[in-house]
Amino acid sequence: MAPLILIKSAKEIEKIRRSGQLAAQTLDYVGEILKPGLTTLELDKLINQYVTERDAIPATLGYKGFPGSSCISINEEVVHGVPGPRVIQTGDLVKVDVTTILDGYYGDTARSYLIEPVPDEARRLMETTKKALDLAIQTVRHGSRLGDIGAAVQACVEPAGFSVVRNFVGHGVGVRFHEAPNIPHFGQAGTGKRLKSGMVFTIEPMINAGDWRVRILADNWTAVTADGSLSAQFEHTLVVTASGSEILTLS
């Protein structure tokens, strides 16, 4: 039996919005403090402090044993980077993924940051990934299909010479970290489940400069590009509406 896709009430959507806004504000804060010389562990501790001081919980901390309050992935690291001794350096493309639990509801968002000056490829990859997310969000409305989302991502990034990671997908959000449905970032328009007003989920394309394949490091968390190429990611949590969607992770 397929997992049940929960339709959220207006009250639930407001609680997810509040959590999502805090997650977004956390990433605003990251943008202010991110600098060369900072280790990913130091950054993670500052994120933990920011979230907990606002009466929220970092959802990743302890999730299936994950040791950090955020996922911090640099350059060839695609996603689920474990905070540690790696030093952030000039030229890096840094991805930070934050999920907050506020009043029992989850807000999930991620951004890529450039530690200037950076290579042109890194800037183009990041800008294309952000554009792909924006275009994917534009396909969402009551009655549209899941395949429309992934098709929009592919149509944006593949002509630019980049590739879409297949191993990780977006997901429903609410009172659990991961709910139905899964949201692939590749697919065929006009296929898949129809979206309904009140569905809440993430769209979070991970885009590689080279091949889409990844491998998992010995920490059993950090995913890196199989060919060592750069990777970028952006993520929003949104709710489907009759006329389109509302992004719930705006600060």
Side-chain angles (χ1 to χ4, degrees), residues 8 13 16 20 107-108 133-134 136-141 149 171-173 183 195-196 198-204 235-241 244-250:
K8 305 301 193 297
I13 292 167
I16 299 168
D108 190 359
L133 174 59
D134 293 342
I137 290 171
Q138 290 175 24
T139 72
V140 175
R141 65 184 58 82
I149 296 171
H171 52 86
V173 175
I183 311 293
L195 305 182
K196 296 181 179 180
M199 286 184 178
V200 177
F201 52 77
T202 71
I203 303 177
E204 45 182 300
E235 174 185 16
H236 274 309
T237 299
L238 59 148
V239 58
V240 181
T241 67
S245 66
E246 178 195 350
I247 298 172
L248 302 177
T249 41
L250 293 176

PDB file of all heavy atoms in Angstrom, residues 8 13 16 20 107-108 133-134 136-141 149 171-173 183 195-196 198-204 235-241 244-250:
ATOM      1  N   LYS A   8      -2.849  19.089   4.541  1.00  0.00           N
ATOM      2  CA  LYS A   8      -2.713  19.883   5.756  1.00  0.00           C
ATOM      3  C   LYS A   8      -3.845  20.901   5.877  1.00  0.00           C
ATOM      4  O   LYS A   8      -4.294  21.478   4.884  1.00  0.00           O
ATOM      5  CB  LYS A   8      -1.357  20.608   5.766  1.00  0.00           C
ATOM      6  CG  LYS A   8      -0.138  19.694   5.596  1.00  0.00           C
ATOM      7  CD  LYS A   8      -0.041  18.644   6.676  1.00  0.00           C
ATOM      8  CE  LYS A   8       1.315  17.951   6.712  1.00  0.00           C
ATOM      9  NZ  LYS A   8       1.651  17.192   5.499  1.00  0.00           N
ATOM     10  N   ILE A  13      -0.711  24.364   8.257  1.00  0.00           N
ATOM     11  CA  ILE A  13       0.127  25.105   7.306  1.00  0.00           C
ATOM     12  C   ILE A  13       0.753  26.317   7.978  1.00  0.00           C
ATOM     13  O   ILE A  13       1.924  26.629   7.745  1.00  0.00           O
ATOM     14  CB  ILE A  13      -0.701  25.512   6.073  1.00  0.00           C
ATOM     15  CG1 ILE A  13      -1.076  24.264   5.269  1.00  0.00           C
ATOM     16  CG2 ILE A  13       0.062  26.506   5.196  1.00  0.00           C
ATOM     17  CD1 ILE A  13      -2.147  24.506   4.226  1.00  0.00           C
ATOM     18  N   ILE A  16       3.686  25.085  10.013  1.00  0.00           N
ATOM     19  CA  ILE A  16       4.814  24.758   9.146  1.00  0.00           C
ATOM     20  C   ILE A  16       5.465  26.043   8.632  1.00  0.00           C
ATOM     21  O   ILE A  16       6.694  26.143   8.546  1.00  0.00           O
ATOM     22  CB  ILE A  16       4.368  23.856   7.981  1.00  0.00           C
ATOM     23  CG1 ILE A  16       3.806  22.538   8.510  1.00  0.00           C
ATOM     24  CG2 ILE A  16       5.546  23.581   7.034  1.00  0.00           C
ATOM     25  CD1 ILE A  16       3.092  21.708   7.453  1.00  0.00           C
ATOM     26  N   GLY A  20       9.211  27.047   9.014  1.00  0.00           N
ATOM     27  CA  GLY A  20       9.962  27.305   7.786  1.00  0.00           C
ATOM     28  C   GLY A  20      10.600  28.677   7.764  1.00  0.00           C
ATOM     29  O   GLY A  20      11.719  28.847   7.274  1.00  0.00           O
ATOM     30  N   GLY A 107      10.250  22.617   9.346  1.00  0.00           N
ATOM     31  CA  GLY A 107      10.521  23.523   8.227  1.00  0.00           C
ATOM     32  C   GLY A 107      11.884  23.172   7.656  1.00  0.00           C
ATOM     33  O   GLY A 107      12.856  23.091   8.404  1.00  0.00           O
ATOM     34  N   ASP A 108      11.974  22.951   6.349  1.00  0.00           N
ATOM     35  CA  ASP A 108      13.171  22.374   5.737  1.00  0.00           C
ATOM     36  C   ASP A 108      13.588  23.233   4.550  1.00  0.00           C
ATOM     37  O   ASP A 108      12.801  23.453   3.612  1.00  0.00           O
ATOM     38  CB  ASP A 108      12.829  20.942   5.284  1.00  0.00           C
ATOM     39  CG  ASP A 108      14.044  20.138   4.859  1.00  0.00           C
ATOM     40  OD1 ASP A 108      15.167  20.671   4.888  1.00  0.00           O
ATOM     41  OD2 ASP A 108      13.869  18.954   4.500  1.00  0.00           O
ATOM     42  N   LEU A 133      15.198  25.402  -9.398  1.00  0.00           N
ATOM     43  CA  LEU A 133      14.232  25.334  -8.308  1.00  0.00           C
ATOM     44  C   LEU A 133      13.067  26.287  -8.564  1.00  0.00           C
ATOM     45  O   LEU A 133      11.890  25.912  -8.404  1.00  0.00           O
ATOM     46  CB  LEU A 133      14.903  25.672  -6.974  1.00  0.00           C
ATOM     47  CG  LEU A 133      13.966  25.785  -5.769  1.00  0.00           C
ATOM     48  CD1 LEU A 133      13.203  24.485  -5.530  1.00  0.00           C
ATOM     49  CD2 LEU A 133      14.745  26.196  -4.512  1.00  0.00           C
ATOM     50  N   ASP A 134      13.377  27.503  -8.965  1.00  0.00           N
ATOM     51  CA  ASP A 134      12.319  28.485  -9.231  1.00  0.00           C
ATOM     52  C   ASP A 134      11.365  27.999 -10.322  1.00  0.00           C
ATOM     53  O   ASP A 134      10.138  28.120 -10.195  1.00  0.00           O
ATOM     54  CB  ASP A 134      12.931  29.828  -9.637  1.00  0.00           C
ATOM     55  CG  ASP A 134      13.700  30.496  -8.503  1.00  0.00           C
ATOM     56  OD1 ASP A 134      13.475  30.116  -7.344  1.00  0.00           O
ATOM     57  OD2 ASP A 134      14.525  31.384  -8.789  1.00  0.00           O
ATOM     58  N   ALA A 136      10.820  24.879 -11.236  1.00  0.00           N
ATOM     59  CA  ALA A 136      10.077  23.717 -10.736  1.00  0.00           C
ATOM     60  C   ALA A 136       8.898  24.162  -9.880  1.00  0.00           C
ATOM     61  O   ALA A 136       7.784  23.624 -10.006  1.00  0.00           O
ATOM     62  CB  ALA A 136      11.004  22.811  -9.939  1.00  0.00           C
ATOM     63  N   ILE A 137       9.128  25.157  -9.029  1.00  0.00           N
ATOM     64  CA  ILE A 137       8.056  25.663  -8.171  1.00  0.00           C
ATOM     65  C   ILE A 137       6.916  26.237  -9.008  1.00  0.00           C
ATOM     66  O   ILE A 137       5.738  26.084  -8.674  1.00  0.00           O
ATOM     67  CB  ILE A 137       8.609  26.705  -7.181  1.00  0.00           C
ATOM     68  CG1 ILE A 137       9.511  26.021  -6.140  1.00  0.00           C
ATOM     69  CG2 ILE A 137       7.482  27.462  -6.478  1.00  0.00           C
ATOM     70  CD1 ILE A 137      10.274  26.977  -5.246  1.00  0.00           C
ATOM     71  N   GLN A 138       7.263  26.866 -10.137  1.00  0.00           N
ATOM     72  CA  GLN A 138       6.239  27.467 -10.998  1.00  0.00           C
ATOM     73  C   GLN A 138       5.294  26.433 -11.606  1.00  0.00           C
ATOM     74  O   GLN A 138       4.188  26.778 -12.026  1.00  0.00           O
ATOM     75  CB  GLN A 138       6.903  28.287 -12.100  1.00  0.00           C
ATOM     76  CG  GLN A 138       7.562  29.557 -11.604  1.00  0.00           C
ATOM     77  CD  GLN A 138       8.325  30.293 -12.690  1.00  0.00           C
ATOM     78  OE1 GLN A 138       8.037  30.132 -13.881  1.00  0.00           O
ATOM     79  NE2 GLN A 138       9.296  31.097 -12.307  1.00  0.00           N
ATOM     80  N   THR A 139       5.690  25.164 -11.657  1.00  0.00           N
ATOM     81  CA  THR A 139       4.822  24.124 -12.220  1.00  0.00           C
ATOM     82  C   THR A 139       3.779  23.648 -11.212  1.00  0.00           C
ATOM     83  O   THR A 139       2.817  22.975 -11.605  1.00  0.00           O
ATOM     84  CB  THR A 139       5.626  22.890 -12.666  1.00  0.00           C
ATOM     85  OG1 THR A 139       6.102  22.163 -11.513  1.00  0.00           O
ATOM     86  CG2 THR A 139       6.803  23.277 -13.558  1.00  0.00           C
ATOM     87  N   VAL A 140       3.950  23.982  -9.940  1.00  0.00           N
ATOM     88  CA  VAL A 140       3.118  23.407  -8.877  1.00  0.00           C
ATOM     89  C   VAL A 140       1.793  24.152  -8.753  1.00  0.00           C
ATOM     90  O   VAL A 140       1.767  25.369  -8.578  1.00  0.00           O
ATOM     91  CB  VAL A 140       3.879  23.433  -7.534  1.00  0.00           C
ATOM     92  CG1 VAL A 140       2.977  22.954  -6.396  1.00  0.00           C
ATOM     93  CG2 VAL A 140       5.135  22.571  -7.613  1.00  0.00           C
ATOM     94  N   ARG A 141       0.709  23.406  -8.807  1.00  0.00           N
ATOM     95  CA  ARG A 141      -0.640  23.936  -8.564  1.00  0.00           C
ATOM     96  C   ARG A 141      -1.576  22.747  -8.411  1.00  0.00           C
ATOM     97  O   ARG A 141      -1.220  21.619  -8.792  1.00  0.00           O
ATOM     98  CB  ARG A 141      -1.105  24.838  -9.709  1.00  0.00           C
ATOM     99  CG  ARG A 141      -1.284  24.126 -11.031  1.00  0.00           C
ATOM    100  CD  ARG A 141      -1.639  25.096 -12.146  1.00  0.00           C
ATOM    101  NE  ARG A 141      -0.630  26.124 -12.286  1.00  0.00           N
ATOM    102  CZ  ARG A 141       0.517  25.970 -12.962  1.00  0.00           C
ATOM    103  NH1 ARG A 141       0.794  24.807 -13.535  1.00  0.00           N
ATOM    104  NH2 ARG A 141       1.371  26.940 -13.050  1.00  0.00           N
ATOM    105  N   ILE A 149       7.414  18.580 -12.119  1.00  0.00           N
ATOM    106  CA  ILE A 149       8.472  19.197 -11.303  1.00  0.00           C
ATOM    107  C   ILE A 149       9.839  18.780 -11.810  1.00  0.00           C
ATOM    108  O   ILE A 149      10.708  19.610 -12.119  1.00  0.00           O
ATOM    109  CB  ILE A 149       8.284  18.809  -9.824  1.00  0.00           C
ATOM    110  CG1 ILE A 149       6.973  19.386  -9.284  1.00  0.00           C
ATOM    111  CG2 ILE A 149       9.483  19.275  -8.988  1.00  0.00           C
ATOM    112  CD1 ILE A 149       6.593  18.872  -7.908  1.00  0.00           C
ATOM    113  N   HIS A 171      10.454  15.644  -0.499  1.00  0.00           N
ATOM    114  CA  HIS A 171       9.583  14.801   0.325  1.00  0.00           C
ATOM    115  C   HIS A 171       8.523  15.650   1.008  1.00  0.00           C
ATOM    116  O   HIS A 171       8.685  16.860   1.178  1.00  0.00           O
ATOM    117  CB  HIS A 171      10.422  14.082   1.387  1.00  0.00           C
ATOM    118  CG  HIS A 171      11.289  15.011   2.183  1.00  0.00           C
ATOM    119  ND1 HIS A 171      10.846  15.675   3.303  1.00  0.00           N
ATOM    120  CD2 HIS A 171      12.567  15.426   1.972  1.00  0.00           C
ATOM    121  CE1 HIS A 171      11.828  16.446   3.759  1.00  0.00           C
ATOM    122  NE2 HIS A 171      12.883  16.326   2.973  1.00  0.00           N
ATOM    123  N   GLY A 172       7.458  14.988   1.433  1.00  0.00           N
ATOM    124  CA  GLY A 172       6.450  15.659   2.229  1.00  0.00           C
ATOM    125  C   GLY A 172       7.008  16.122   3.559  1.00  0.00           C
ATOM    126  O   GLY A 172       7.983  15.572   4.066  1.00  0.00           O
ATOM    127  N   VAL A 173       6.386  17.165   4.124  1.00  0.00           N
ATOM    128  CA  VAL A 173       6.833  17.759   5.391  1.00  0.00           C
ATOM    129  C   VAL A 173       5.601  18.053   6.239  1.00  0.00           C
ATOM    130  O   VAL A 173       4.555  18.438   5.725  1.00  0.00           O
ATOM    131  CB  VAL A 173       7.605  19.083   5.146  1.00  0.00           C
ATOM    132  CG1 VAL A 173       7.960  19.755   6.465  1.00  0.00           C
ATOM    133  CG2 VAL A 173       8.862  18.830   4.340  1.00  0.00           C
ATOM    134  N   ILE A 183       9.485  13.474  -4.085  1.00  0.00           N
ATOM    135  CA  ILE A 183       9.485  14.445  -5.186  1.00  0.00           C
ATOM    136  C   ILE A 183      10.782  14.296  -5.988  1.00  0.00           C
ATOM    137  O   ILE A 183      11.806  14.912  -5.659  1.00  0.00           O
ATOM    138  CB  ILE A 183       9.364  15.896  -4.648  1.00  0.00           C
ATOM    139  CG1 ILE A 183       8.214  16.029  -3.648  1.00  0.00           C
ATOM    140  CG2 ILE A 183       9.214  16.869  -5.814  1.00  0.00           C
ATOM    141  CD1 ILE A 183       6.830  15.849  -4.238  1.00  0.00           C
ATOM    142  N   LEU A 195      -1.213  16.624  -8.010  1.00  0.00           N
ATOM    143  CA  LEU A 195      -1.068  17.391  -6.784  1.00  0.00           C
ATOM    144  C   LEU A 195      -2.421  17.942  -6.356  1.00  0.00           C
ATOM    145  O   LEU A 195      -3.268  18.258  -7.193  1.00  0.00           O
ATOM    146  CB  LEU A 195      -0.070  18.530  -6.993  1.00  0.00           C
ATOM    147  CG  LEU A 195       1.320  18.124  -7.500  1.00  0.00           C
ATOM    148  CD1 LEU A 195       2.224  19.338  -7.604  1.00  0.00           C
ATOM    149  CD2 LEU A 195       1.944  17.065  -6.595  1.00  0.00           C
ATOM    150  N   LYS A 196      -2.601  18.066  -5.043  1.00  0.00           N
ATOM    151  CA  LYS A 196      -3.850  18.578  -4.494  1.00  0.00           C
ATOM    152  C   LYS A 196      -3.565  19.720  -3.528  1.00  0.00           C
ATOM    153  O   LYS A 196      -2.545  19.721  -2.830  1.00  0.00           O
ATOM    154  CB  LYS A 196      -4.605  17.465  -3.761  1.00  0.00           C
ATOM    155  CG  LYS A 196      -5.053  16.331  -4.658  1.00  0.00           C
ATOM    156  CD  LYS A 196      -5.818  15.282  -3.861  1.00  0.00           C
ATOM    157  CE  LYS A 196      -6.286  14.139  -4.769  1.00  0.00           C
ATOM    158  NZ  LYS A 196      -7.041  13.100  -4.009  1.00  0.00           N
ATOM    159  N   GLY A 198      -3.233  21.836  -0.389  1.00  0.00           N
ATOM    160  CA  GLY A 198      -2.990  21.415   0.980  1.00  0.00           C
ATOM    161  C   GLY A 198      -1.841  20.438   1.135  1.00  0.00           C
ATOM    162  O   GLY A 198      -1.404  20.173   2.256  1.00  0.00           O
ATOM    163  N   MET A 199      -1.322  19.896   0.024  1.00  0.00           N
ATOM    164  CA  MET A 199      -0.099  19.090   0.112  1.00  0.00           C
ATOM    165  C   MET A 199       1.071  20.005   0.451  1.00  0.00           C
ATOM    166  O   MET A 199       1.189  21.113  -0.096  1.00  0.00           O
ATOM    167  CB  MET A 199       0.194  18.400  -1.222  1.00  0.00           C
ATOM    168  CG  MET A 199      -0.676  17.228  -1.565  1.00  0.00           C
ATOM    169  SD  MET A 199      -0.092  16.485  -3.131  1.00  0.00           S
ATOM    170  CE  MET A 199      -1.219  15.124  -3.297  1.00  0.00           C
ATOM    171  N   VAL A 200       1.942  19.543   1.337  1.00  0.00           N
ATOM    172  CA  VAL A 200       3.141  20.295   1.700  1.00  0.00           C
ATOM    173  C   VAL A 200       4.353  19.398   1.462  1.00  0.00           C
ATOM    174  O   VAL A 200       4.395  18.264   1.954  1.00  0.00           O
ATOM    175  CB  VAL A 200       3.101  20.751   3.170  1.00  0.00           C
ATOM    176  CG1 VAL A 200       4.396  21.472   3.546  1.00  0.00           C
ATOM    177  CG2 VAL A 200       1.904  21.659   3.425  1.00  0.00           C
ATOM    178  N   PHE A 201       5.327  19.896   0.704  1.00  0.00           N
ATOM    179  CA  PHE A 201       6.514  19.094   0.417  1.00  0.00           C
ATOM    180  C   PHE A 201       7.686  19.997   0.057  1.00  0.00           C
ATOM    181  O   PHE A 201       7.527  21.199  -0.157  1.00  0.00           O
ATOM    182  CB  PHE A 201       6.245  18.099  -0.719  1.00  0.00           C
ATOM    183  CG  PHE A 201       5.660  18.691  -1.971  1.00  0.00           C
ATOM    184  CD1 PHE A 201       6.443  19.395  -2.871  1.00  0.00           C
ATOM    185  CD2 PHE A 201       4.307  18.525  -2.254  1.00  0.00           C
ATOM    186  CE1 PHE A 201       5.897  19.933  -4.027  1.00  0.00           C
ATOM    187  CE2 PHE A 201       3.756  19.064  -3.418  1.00  0.00           C
ATOM    188  CZ  PHE A 201       4.553  19.763  -4.298  1.00  0.00           C
ATOM    189  N   THR A 202       8.862  19.381  -0.004  1.00  0.00           N
ATOM    190  CA  THR A 202      10.065  20.103  -0.418  1.00  0.00           C
ATOM    191  C   THR A 202      10.378  19.814  -1.876  1.00  0.00           C
ATOM    192  O   THR A 202      10.093  18.730  -2.386  1.00  0.00           O
ATOM    193  CB  THR A 202      11.299  19.712   0.418  1.00  0.00           C
ATOM    194  OG1 THR A 202      11.705  18.369   0.075  1.00  0.00           O
ATOM    195  CG2 THR A 202      11.020  19.803   1.899  1.00  0.00           C
ATOM    196  N   ILE A 203      10.975  20.799  -2.526  1.00  0.00           N
ATOM    197  CA  ILE A 203      11.662  20.605  -3.801  1.00  0.00           C
ATOM    198  C   ILE A 203      13.103  21.019  -3.539  1.00  0.00           C
ATOM    199  O   ILE A 203      13.354  22.120  -3.045  1.00  0.00           O
ATOM    200  CB  ILE A 203      11.044  21.433  -4.937  1.00  0.00           C
ATOM    201  CG1 ILE A 203       9.549  21.106  -5.107  1.00  0.00           C
ATOM    202  CG2 ILE A 203      11.785  21.181  -6.245  1.00  0.00           C
ATOM    203  CD1 ILE A 203       8.850  21.941  -6.169  1.00  0.00           C
ATOM    204  N   GLU A 204      14.064  20.138  -3.830  1.00  0.00           N
ATOM    205  CA  GLU A 204      15.452  20.387  -3.399  1.00  0.00           C
ATOM    206  C   GLU A 204      16.458  19.815  -4.392  1.00  0.00           C
ATOM    207  O   GLU A 204      17.235  18.932  -4.053  1.00  0.00           O
ATOM    208  CB  GLU A 204      15.679  19.797  -2.013  1.00  0.00           C
ATOM    209  CG  GLU A 204      15.137  18.370  -1.804  1.00  0.00           C
ATOM    210  CD  GLU A 204      15.350  17.880  -0.386  1.00  0.00           C
ATOM    211  OE1 GLU A 204      16.518  17.807   0.064  1.00  0.00           O
ATOM    212  OE2 GLU A 204      14.352  17.577   0.284  1.00  0.00           O
ATOM    213  N   GLU A 235      16.779  24.486  -1.757  1.00  0.00           N
ATOM    214  CA  GLU A 235      15.587  23.770  -1.307  1.00  0.00           C
ATOM    215  C   GLU A 235      14.590  24.731  -0.675  1.00  0.00           C
ATOM    216  O   GLU A 235      14.967  25.623   0.077  1.00  0.00           O
ATOM    217  CB  GLU A 235      15.974  22.716  -0.273  1.00  0.00           C
ATOM    218  CG  GLU A 235      14.788  22.007   0.374  1.00  0.00           C
ATOM    219  CD  GLU A 235      15.200  21.051   1.489  1.00  0.00           C
ATOM    220  OE1 GLU A 235      16.347  21.163   1.971  1.00  0.00           O
ATOM    221  OE2 GLU A 235      14.375  20.209   1.865  1.00  0.00           O
ATOM    222  N   HIS A 236      13.316  24.524  -0.991  1.00  0.00           N
ATOM    223  CA  HIS A 236      12.222  25.204  -0.309  1.00  0.00           C
ATOM    224  C   HIS A 236      11.161  24.187   0.095  1.00  0.00           C
ATOM    225  O   HIS A 236      10.993  23.153  -0.564  1.00  0.00           O
ATOM    226  CB  HIS A 236      11.564  26.254  -1.206  1.00  0.00           C
ATOM    227  CG  HIS A 236      12.217  27.597  -1.176  1.00  0.00           C
ATOM    228  ND1 HIS A 236      12.507  28.269   0.001  1.00  0.00           N
ATOM    229  CD2 HIS A 236      12.629  28.415  -2.189  1.00  0.00           C
ATOM    230  CE1 HIS A 236      13.066  29.429  -0.285  1.00  0.00           C
ATOM    231  NE2 HIS A 236      13.159  29.550  -1.598  1.00  0.00           N
ATOM    232  N   THR A 237      10.447  24.504   1.172  1.00  0.00           N
ATOM    233  CA  THR A 237       9.221  23.809   1.527  1.00  0.00           C
ATOM    234  C   THR A 237       8.059  24.647   1.018  1.00  0.00           C
ATOM    235  O   THR A 237       8.051  25.862   1.205  1.00  0.00           O
ATOM    236  CB  THR A 237       9.107  23.639   3.056  1.00  0.00           C
ATOM    237  OG1 THR A 237      10.211  22.865   3.538  1.00  0.00           O
ATOM    238  CG2 THR A 237       7.811  22.948   3.443  1.00  0.00           C
ATOM    239  N   LEU A 238       7.077  24.022   0.367  1.00  0.00           N
ATOM    240  CA  LEU A 238       5.955  24.769  -0.167  1.00  0.00           C
ATOM    241  C   LEU A 238       4.644  24.014   0.012  1.00  0.00           C
ATOM    242  O   LEU A 238       4.632  22.806   0.233  1.00  0.00           O
ATOM    243  CB  LEU A 238       6.174  25.107  -1.640  1.00  0.00           C
ATOM    244  CG  LEU A 238       6.369  23.946  -2.610  1.00  0.00           C
ATOM    245  CD1 LEU A 238       5.808  24.308  -3.977  1.00  0.00           C
ATOM    246  CD2 LEU A 238       7.866  23.639  -2.768  1.00  0.00           C
ATOM    247  N   VAL A 239       3.551  24.758  -0.074  1.00  0.00           N
ATOM    248  CA  VAL A 239       2.212  24.173  -0.003  1.00  0.00           C
ATOM    249  C   VAL A 239       1.504  24.410  -1.332  1.00  0.00           C
ATOM    250  O   VAL A 239       1.607  25.488  -1.918  1.00  0.00           O
ATOM    251  CB  VAL A 239       1.399  24.761   1.175  1.00  0.00           C
ATOM    252  CG1 VAL A 239       1.250  26.277   1.081  1.00  0.00           C
ATOM    253  CG2 VAL A 239       0.020  24.106   1.264  1.00  0.00           C
ATOM    254  N   VAL A 240       0.819  23.383  -1.808  1.00  0.00           N
ATOM    255  CA  VAL A 240       0.053  23.485  -3.050  1.00  0.00           C
ATOM    256  C   VAL A 240      -1.225  24.274  -2.782  1.00  0.00           C
ATOM    257  O   VAL A 240      -1.921  24.055  -1.782  1.00  0.00           O
ATOM    258  CB  VAL A 240      -0.303  22.089  -3.581  1.00  0.00           C
ATOM    259  CG1 VAL A 240      -1.079  22.203  -4.905  1.00  0.00           C
ATOM    260  CG2 VAL A 240       0.949  21.239  -3.775  1.00  0.00           C
ATOM    261  N   THR A 241      -1.538  25.214  -3.687  1.00  0.00           N
ATOM    262  CA  THR A 241      -2.775  25.978  -3.601  1.00  0.00           C
ATOM    263  C   THR A 241      -3.557  25.821  -4.905  1.00  0.00           C
ATOM    264  O   THR A 241      -3.058  25.236  -5.882  1.00  0.00           O
ATOM    265  CB  THR A 241      -2.511  27.475  -3.357  1.00  0.00           C
ATOM    266  OG1 THR A 241      -1.870  28.032  -4.520  1.00  0.00           O
ATOM    267  CG2 THR A 241      -1.606  27.674  -2.145  1.00  0.00           C
ATOM    268  N   GLY A 244      -1.619  27.879  -7.531  1.00  0.00           N
ATOM    269  CA  GLY A 244      -0.174  27.681  -7.657  1.00  0.00           C
ATOM    270  C   GLY A 244       0.391  27.078  -6.392  1.00  0.00           C
ATOM    271  O   GLY A 244       0.038  25.958  -6.020  1.00  0.00           O
ATOM    272  N   SER A 245       1.263  27.804  -5.731  1.00  0.00           N
ATOM    273  CA  SER A 245       1.849  27.322  -4.483  1.00  0.00           C
ATOM    274  C   SER A 245       2.307  28.521  -3.659  1.00  0.00           C
ATOM    275  O   SER A 245       2.447  29.634  -4.172  1.00  0.00           O
ATOM    276  CB  SER A 245       3.032  26.398  -4.745  1.00  0.00           C
ATOM    277  OG  SER A 245       4.112  27.121  -5.347  1.00  0.00           O
ATOM    278  N   GLU A 246       2.531  28.269  -2.383  1.00  0.00           N
ATOM    279  CA  GLU A 246       3.131  29.270  -1.499  1.00  0.00           C
ATOM    280  C   GLU A 246       4.398  28.671  -0.921  1.00  0.00           C
ATOM    281  O   GLU A 246       4.365  27.561  -0.361  1.00  0.00           O
ATOM    282  CB  GLU A 246       2.172  29.655  -0.375  1.00  0.00           C
ATOM    283  CG  GLU A 246       2.793  30.671   0.593  1.00  0.00           C
ATOM    284  CD  GLU A 246       2.038  30.819   1.908  1.00  0.00           C
ATOM    285  OE1 GLU A 246       0.930  30.280   2.021  1.00  0.00           O
ATOM    286  OE2 GLU A 246       2.596  31.460   2.828  1.00  0.00           O
ATOM    287  N   ILE A 247       5.493  29.402  -1.028  1.00  0.00           N
ATOM    288  CA  ILE A 247       6.758  28.967  -0.413  1.00  0.00           C
ATOM    289  C   ILE A 247       6.668  29.257   1.079  1.00  0.00           C
ATOM    290  O   ILE A 247       6.408  30.399   1.484  1.00  0.00           O
ATOM    291  CB  ILE A 247       7.947  29.679  -1.049  1.00  0.00           C
ATOM    292  CG1 ILE A 247       8.042  29.343  -2.539  1.00  0.00           C
ATOM    293  CG2 ILE A 247       9.247  29.275  -0.347  1.00  0.00           C
ATOM    294  CD1 ILE A 247       9.082  30.158  -3.296  1.00  0.00           C
ATOM    295  N   LEU A 248       6.894  28.234   1.899  1.00  0.00           N
ATOM    296  CA  LEU A 248       6.778  28.377   3.361  1.00  0.00           C
ATOM    297  C   LEU A 248       8.123  28.616   4.029  1.00  0.00           C
ATOM    298  O   LEU A 248       8.169  28.843   5.241  1.00  0.00           O
ATOM    299  CB  LEU A 248       6.123  27.124   3.962  1.00  0.00           C
ATOM    300  CG  LEU A 248       4.735  26.788   3.411  1.00  0.00           C
ATOM    301  CD1 LEU A 248       4.225  25.487   4.023  1.00  0.00           C
ATOM    302  CD2 LEU A 248       3.760  27.924   3.665  1.00  0.00           C
ATOM    303  N   THR A 249       9.202  28.613   3.266  1.00  0.00           N
ATOM    304  CA  THR A 249      10.549  28.820   3.827  1.00  0.00           C
ATOM    305  C   THR A 249      11.135  30.114   3.296  1.00  0.00           C
ATOM    306  O   THR A 249      12.245  30.157   2.763  1.00  0.00           O
ATOM    307  CB  THR A 249      11.459  27.622   3.531  1.00  0.00           C
ATOM    308  OG1 THR A 249      11.234  27.179   2.182  1.00  0.00           O
ATOM    309  CG2 THR A 249      11.175  26.464   4.474  1.00  0.00           C
ATOM    310  N   LEU A 250      10.371  31.185   3.420  1.00  0.00           N
ATOM    311  CA  LEU A 250      10.860  32.532   3.109  1.00  0.00           C
ATOM    312  C   LEU A 250      11.062  33.285   4.414  1.00  0.00           C
ATOM    313  O   LEU A 250      10.205  33.243   5.308  1.00  0.00           O
ATOM    314  CB  LEU A 250       9.867  33.283   2.228  1.00  0.00           C
ATOM    315  CG  LEU A 250       9.656  32.751   0.813  1.00  0.00           C
ATOM    316  CD1 LEU A 250       8.576  33.534   0.104  1.00  0.00           C
ATOM    317  CD2 LEU A 250      10.949  32.785   0.017  1.00  0.00           C
TER     318      LEU A 250
END
